[in-house]
Amino acid sequence: MAETRKLHPAGAVLLIINLLMASRISLSRSILLLQRTNNHFPYSHFTPKRFPKSYPCPLWSSSFSLCLQTLHKSSTTTATTPPSISNCYSSISMDPVADQANPLLQDFEFPPFDVVEAKHVRPGIRALLKNLESDLEELERTVEPSWPKLVEPLEKIADQLTVVWGMINHLKAVKDSPELRAAIEEVQPEKVKFQLRLGQSKPIYNAFKAIQDSPQWPSLSDARKRIVESQIKEGVLNGVALDDDKREQFNKIEQELERLSQKFGENVLDATKKFEKIITDKKDIEGLPATSLGLAAQTAVSKGHTDASAENGPWIITLDAPSFMSVMQHARNRGLREEIYRAYVTRASSGDLNNTAIIDEILKLRLEKAKLLGYNNYTEVSMATKMATVEKAEELLEKLRAASWDAAVQDMEDLKIFSKNQGAMEANDLTHWDTGFWAERLRESKYDINEEELRPFFSLPKVMDGLFNLAKTIFGIDIEPADGLAPVWNNDVKFYCVKDSLGSPIAYFYFDPYSRPSEKRGGAWMDEVVSRSRVLSPNGTAPRLPIAHMVCNQTPPVGDKPSLMTFREVETVFHEFGHALQHMLTKQDEGLVAGIRGIEWDAVELPSQFMENWCYHRETLMGIAKHYETGESLPEEVYLKLLAARTFRAGSFSLRQIKFASLDLELHTKYIPGALESIYDVDQRVSKRTQVIPPLPEDRFLCGFSHIFAGGYAAGYYSYKWAEVLSADAFSAFEDAGLDNHKAVKETGHKFRETILALGGGKAPLEVFVEFRGREPSPEALLRHNGLLSVTTSA
């Protein structure tokens, strides 16, 4: 979900580089079953981590969303590429010989994902940095307080680093290898050094200040004012105003934070991959649906058990989301559930992969950084570029906590009563590894819905067709397959072209849908490949078109069946597509604030969470829910049950997100590294007010909390709830217009596109929201959608 960063401009060049560079460690949209069922978990990415660029999704979405090698050498088409996408990177060119050998340094229409290898990273990045250093020196020597002499050359420098580093960082997320990891780790300090050099350039900073103080300032467009204001603010936050000795200390901190965050994410990935539970007796996995058995057998085959089958095993259970979630929700073997749960919440907390010391050091360095910049704590640094303030974020979280608490307590009481009636021996002692299982049984009983039985109605091809039809209806765009036009990193990756109502291309995107635990980071995320830009126009007239990628980790096809999705996986695809739409449908030509660039981090989740609502829209859902074999539509009574089940355990799910957000703020506001209270003590303390079942004493969830320690959500996880308020209120505009009134839906969709999706970071998000909605946001729609509106605020 995207956060709704409020009134603070955030889209500057360095910001963008940071965004773009972020080592995406996005965790998972809802990678923890625990989230859904009892707990949850995050993900994320980035580089100087204030403002990530890839949008990971929350550990737990209120609408039940869950997201949960072969190198493909794609043949490039000989057809003429649309002019708006043609090469914009000729200035990267250095040594012609090196260019021929290194795809990172060559001109390209689309990134050469199919041929980039670890061996290209060191020489490619070093050559690029050398060239950019020269460009920066030239800019500083000739800079003037004007757009052509300051902002345009600055955007070109930032964009080159963003695109090339983004390419290798993306490959690390989807096609990880020890060689690629080592190469990136070696050149990363050099990349950070250049970023700091750029962000701390006094000639550039002074030129922006001069623009702000000039007589021409009142006549600048909103977008240009936002760029100037955010560059000045980011300059300060990047240490430009520090004395030399303090700036040197600041830079050391930034380098070390980058290294530690990278290591944190690698430890989580390695710990997740390391765990395998081999099962040979089918009685031990009784209850697992056929799809999960097929996946477990397929995993076993990939691990060398060539005779493994869904019927006879052996089966391998992993901590990858589809496998983990299936065990927690369906395994009747309570001992197995406990083992898998404990393995999950203690990932990366022991041995060589222990993240405990890394967390302490990250928190210590963030606090030191805040003090150097003149702030009391790191949360204040984070909030400097967001919509919210510390007080407003805490106020919202407490309001939602109070509205969710009684409902969550009742949720647990309902599980106890139900499990007792079912004869469960553990009924009076339900704990973390029980709630997911019994919640699923209660949901099946109460609504007669079995998620696994619904999978045949949600095949990936049908879901994508329905999603694209919805986009055409609401936003007036057509999405067409364009496989072969751009190189891809895996055979499963799809490539699409987005066209306007006249049939002209306006954007492109990649879609990588399936889980590949051996090489691909968990979770779901969207990121930019390139942004829309007037300055980087390939022909000097039409702007460069935006390109995005969407990545999920859903259940892959098994045998001759297509990927059959859970309803939560459907929601996840809609969610990430919402992010992509904001990037692709931007009409902002100023590249530094186009698409997702420059949008306050707590506003970024608005379009993604907004799109999830359409999964419950009858016409939309019935349009995608067709049995993959018979073509039969989802029965009407099942749709009505899905709708009724939308608020099932909403209090529990809301409370989990509030726990993560509150813990994040506590660690970055009041926690003192090295004091008597440990990070785990803080977790236990925060949980008393945000978790009905206290965490296990040995719970080390924080060691896998990549959102805030390896991503862009440090002191910003509250953004998910903040943006939920915005997205629910935005969707209520369609409800007010009448969801069955096609004319009104199209008109409202056009307005949404022309404001929320079109304006990018060129206008403050609160102003954009008011322009769309006609008023400031209200939490009423969110509480109503979650069935919590009338809940009393005791607790």
Side-chain angles (χ1 to χ4, degrees):
M1 334 244 325
E3 308 87 12
T4 112
R5 278 95 230 223
K6 301 194 157 168
L7 304 163
H8 303 9
V13 159
L14 181 66
L15 223 194
I16 291 176
I17 291 192
N18 291 348
L19 284 194
L20 288 123
M21 298 245 123
S23 70
R24 307 140 199 198
I25 304 187
S26 171
L27 234 124
S28 288
R29 248 205 86 184
S30 84
I31 191 175
L32 256 195
L33 175 190
L34 311 184
Q35 311 174 169
R36 232 212 101 105
T37 150
N38 19 234
N39 294 244
H40 242 177
F41 182 124
Y43 28 37
S44 238
H45 15 286
F46 303 149
T47 198
K49 306 209 144 83
R50 192 173 17 275
F51 216 73
K53 127 183 192 179
S54 211
Y55 301 111
C57 298
L59 295 190
W60 176 240
S61 157
S62 63
S63 58
F64 303 164
S65 25
L66 159 94
C67 189
L68 281 193
Q69 165 147 161
T70 49
L71 181 62
H72 172 47
K73 304 233 171 181
S74 169
S75 57
T76 42
T77 180
T78 55
T80 304
T81 305
S84 336
I85 293 295
S86 71
N87 168 45
C88 309
Y89 308 107
S90 56
S91 60
I92 293 179
S93 186
M94 288 146 233
D95 180 351
V97 177
D99 284 2
Q100 292 175 10
N102 196 322
L104 295 176
L105 302 178
Q106 293 174 359
D107 297 341
F108 50 76
E109 307 291 346
F110 298 98
F113 287 119
D114 57 337
V115 295
V116 173
E117 299 178 18
K119 66 182 180 181
H120 301 127
V121 172
R122 293 178 182 87
I125 294 300
R126 284 171 176 149
L128 173 63
L129 291 174
K130 181 179 178 181
N131 190 61
L132 294 181
E133 182 70 36
S134 176
D135 290 347
L136 178 55
E137 289 173 358
E138 176 66 17
L139 172 57
E140 290 179 322
R141 186 165 51 251
T142 61
V143 67
E144 296 177 12
S146 69
W147 225 251
K149 291 288 190 176
L150 170 62
V151 182
E152 293 180 4
L154 186 59
E155 181 182 342
K156 291 176 181 177
I157 291 171
D159 192 84
Q160 289 178 26
L161 184 55
T162 287
V163 171
V164 177
W165 187 267
M167 197 190 320
I168 61 172
N169 213 33
H170 173 66
L171 288 173
K172 182 176 181 293
V174 297
K175 196 172 180 59
D176 189 34
S177 70
E179 294 78 18
L180 180 60
R181 188 181 287 189
I184 291 175
E185 184 176 333
E186 185 174 320
V187 296
Q188 187 165 269
E190 299 166 46
K191 181 267 297 184
V192 175
K193 182 179 179 181
F194 176 77
Q195 285 178 260
L196 291 168
R197 160 92 168 80
L198 177 62
Q200 294 170 355
S201 170
K202 288 192 175 180
I204 291 175
Y205 175 78
N206 291 334
F208 275 113
K209 290 284 288 182
I211 290 178
Q212 190 177 46
D213 295 337
S214 71
Q216 289 73 39
W217 174 253
S219 64
L220 290 184
S221 66
D222 288 344
R224 291 193 170 188
K225 285 181 179 178
R226 289 264 292 174
I227 289 172
V228 172
E229 290 168 346
S230 63
Q231 281 294 323
I232 292 171
K233 178 174 291 185
E234 282 296 319
V236 173
L237 293 176
N238 281 292
V240 70
L242 295 176
D243 295 336
D244 290 346
D245 57 337
K246 289 186 177 180
R247 190 182 311 118
E248 184 178 350
Q249 183 183 356
F250 179 92
N251 290 351
K252 287 180 180 178
I253 289 173
E254 288 288 74
Q255 286 281 12
E256 184 63 4
L257 282 173
E258 179 81 359
R259 186 190 70 80
L260 291 170
S261 292
Q262 187 89 355
K263 182 62 176 172
F264 183 100
E266 290 172 356
N267 285 351
V268 174
L269 178 61
D270 290 346
T272 302
K273 291 196 300 184
K274 184 177 180 180
F275 180 88
E276 292 179 7
K277 172 72 174 178
I278 301 177
I279 297 176
T280 56
D281 189 341
K282 197 168 187 176
K283 287 188 295 185
D284 291 339
I285 50 173
E286 188 177 349
L288 260 64
T291 303
S292 301
L293 292 174
L295 180 62
Q298 195 165 280
T299 302
V301 170
S302 72
K303 301 292 184 179
H305 301 271
T306 54
D307 295 330
S309 68
E311 266 302 308
N312 303 312
W315 305 271
I316 290 183
I317 303 299
T318 70
L319 297 182
D320 194 50
S323 179
F324 171 78
M325 293 292 289
S326 181
V327 170
M328 299 309 297
Q329 289 182 310
H330 300 291
R332 296 195 181 107
N333 183 339
R334 192 183 187 215
L336 176 63
R337 297 200 307 266
E338 178 180 359
E339 180 182 354
I340 300 303
Y341 176 85
R342 287 181 181 276
Y344 195 91
V345 299
T346 56
R347 286 181 310 158
S349 66
S350 63
D352 294 340
L353 302 178
N354 192 343
N355 272 336
T356 302
I358 291 177
I359 293 173
D360 279 326
E361 187 64 12
I362 286 174
L363 292 172
K364 174 175 170 288
L365 291 174
R366 284 176 179 167
L367 181 58
E368 288 181 14
K369 173 180 172 178
K371 299 284 189 182
L372 279 174
L373 293 173
Y375 292 94
N376 294 312
N377 52 61
Y378 186 78
T379 299
E380 292 181 0
V381 176
S382 174
M383 295 296 183
T385 54
K386 293 184 172 64
M387 272 181 89
T389 62
V390 179
E391 295 73 21
K392 288 292 185 184
E394 291 177 339
E395 179 184 339
L396 175 64
L397 291 176
E398 176 55 25
K399 184 179 294 185
L400 296 178
R401 188 202 69 81
S404 304
W405 180 264
D406 287 351
V409 170
Q410 187 58 52
D411 288 342
M412 184 55 60
E413 202 54 38
D414 291 345
L415 289 190
K416 289 179 181 177
I417 294 171
F418 177 77
S419 59
K420 189 171 186 177
N421 290 340
Q422 299 299 308
M425 296 178 62
E426 67 268 24
N428 293 322
D429 189 32
L430 292 184
T431 189
H432 301 283
W433 46 87
D434 300 315
T435 53
F437 177 81
W438 286 110
E440 191 62 19
R441 305 291 79 73
L442 175 58
R443 194 166 67 88
E444 291 169 356
S445 172
K446 190 172 184 177
Y447 303 104
D448 193 22
I449 294 176
N450 182 307
E451 278 214 338
E452 289 300 318
E453 292 176 2
L454 293 182
R455 279 187 188 267
F457 288 95
F458 297 117
S459 67
L460 179 62
K462 277 290 183 187
V463 169
M464 299 308 290
D465 285 346
L467 177 58
F468 296 162
N469 286 334
L470 175 66
K472 180 179 177 66
T473 298
I474 304 177
F475 304 125
I477 58 175
D478 286 297
I479 299 172
E480 300 176 357
D483 294 322
L485 181 62
V488 294
W489 53 91
N490 185 280
N491 285 321
D492 293 330
V493 177
K494 303 297 182 184
F495 191 66
Y496 296 95
C497 176
V498 182
K499 296 184 177 181
D500 62 17
S501 57
L502 299 177
S504 301
I506 56 175
Y508 296 85
F509 70 98
Y510 304 83
F511 180 41
D512 185 351
Y514 309 130
S515 171
R516 296 190 298 276
S518 64
E519 64 176 9
K520 185 178 177 183
R521 190 185 79 216
W525 66 94
M526 168 272 164
D527 212 337
E528 72 167 75
V529 179
V530 301
S531 72
R532 181 180 173 95
S533 173
R534 170 189 56 82
V535 170
L536 292 165
S537 166
N539 56 19
T541 54
R544 180 182 68 181
L545 298 186
I547 308 173
H549 58 64
M550 288 168 51
V551 182
C552 292
N553 268 279
Q554 65 194 51
T555 308
V558 176
D560 57 358
K561 295 180 181 178
S563 175
L564 301 179
M565 306 167 67
T566 66
F567 185 62
R568 295 173 216 152
E569 288 175 335
V570 173
E571 288 180 301
T572 295
V573 171
F574 273 61
H575 177 104
E576 301 308 333
F577 189 64
H579 282 310
L581 285 173
Q582 188 170 38
H583 181 63
M584 298 188 294
L585 300 190
T586 185
K587 293 187 176 180
Q588 179 56 256
D589 288 342
E590 294 291 345
L592 297 183
V593 288
I596 59 177
R597 292 183 176 186
I599 297 176
E600 280 74 354
W601 199 232
D602 44 3
V604 146
E605 294 290 339
L606 194 169
S608 55
Q609 295 180 141
F610 164 82
M611 286 299 296
E612 290 184 44
N613 288 283
W614 291 99
C615 294
Y616 293 91
H617 177 229
R618 186 187 184 284
E619 187 175 326
T620 300
L621 183 64
M622 299 303 276
I624 64 176
K626 307 287 185 184
H627 196 284
Y628 80 101
E629 289 179 315
T630 66
E632 170 196 0
S633 294
L634 186 75
E636 175 71 15
E637 63 271 20
V638 176
Y639 164 69
L640 294 175
K641 289 172 183 174
L642 269 177
L643 201 60
R646 183 179 186 180
T647 59
F648 179 62
R649 293 177 58 76
S652 298
F653 303 144
S654 175
L655 209 57
R656 286 308 298 158
Q657 284 297 85
I658 292 165
K659 180 261 176 80
F660 295 130
S662 300
L663 178 58
D664 172 35
L665 289 181
E666 186 74 13
L667 288 172
H668 288 101
T669 304
K670 300 172 186 174
Y671 174 70
I672 302 174
L676 293 178
E677 190 179 41
S678 73
I679 54 173
Y680 305 120
D681 294 333
V682 175
D683 188 358
Q684 293 287 338
R685 175 164 55 78
V686 170
S687 296
K688 288 179 180 178
R689 283 179 54 80
T690 57
Q691 214 166 305
V692 176
I693 302 179
L696 298 175
E698 61 272 30
D699 187 301
R700 295 295 180 264
F701 151 78
L702 281 169
C703 287
F705 201 172
S706 295
H707 281 78
I708 68 171
F709 295 121
Y713 283 86
Y717 197 88
Y718 77 90
S719 297
Y720 284 115
K721 299 309 290 184
W722 187 275
E724 270 192 88
V725 170
L726 297 182
S727 62
D729 200 355
F731 187 74
S732 71
F734 289 81
E735 295 175 321
D736 293 346
L739 291 173
D740 296 325
N741 184 332
H742 286 200
K743 182 173 182 292
V745 165
K746 286 187 176 183
E747 290 173 351
T748 309
H750 177 75
K751 190 174 183 181
F752 187 90
R753 178 180 174 181
E754 293 301 307
T755 52
I756 306 295
L757 301 181
L759 297 177
K763 201 168 188 176
L766 182 58
E767 294 178 31
V768 174
F769 185 90
V770 171
E771 189 172 331
F772 167 66
R773 199 68 177 94
R775 57 166 174 75
E776 294 195 4
S778 163
E780 184 272 339
L782 174 62
L783 294 173
R784 174 168 52 82
H785 290 168
N786 287 344
L788 300 173
L789 193 58
S790 61
V791 176
T792 58
T793 60
S794 55

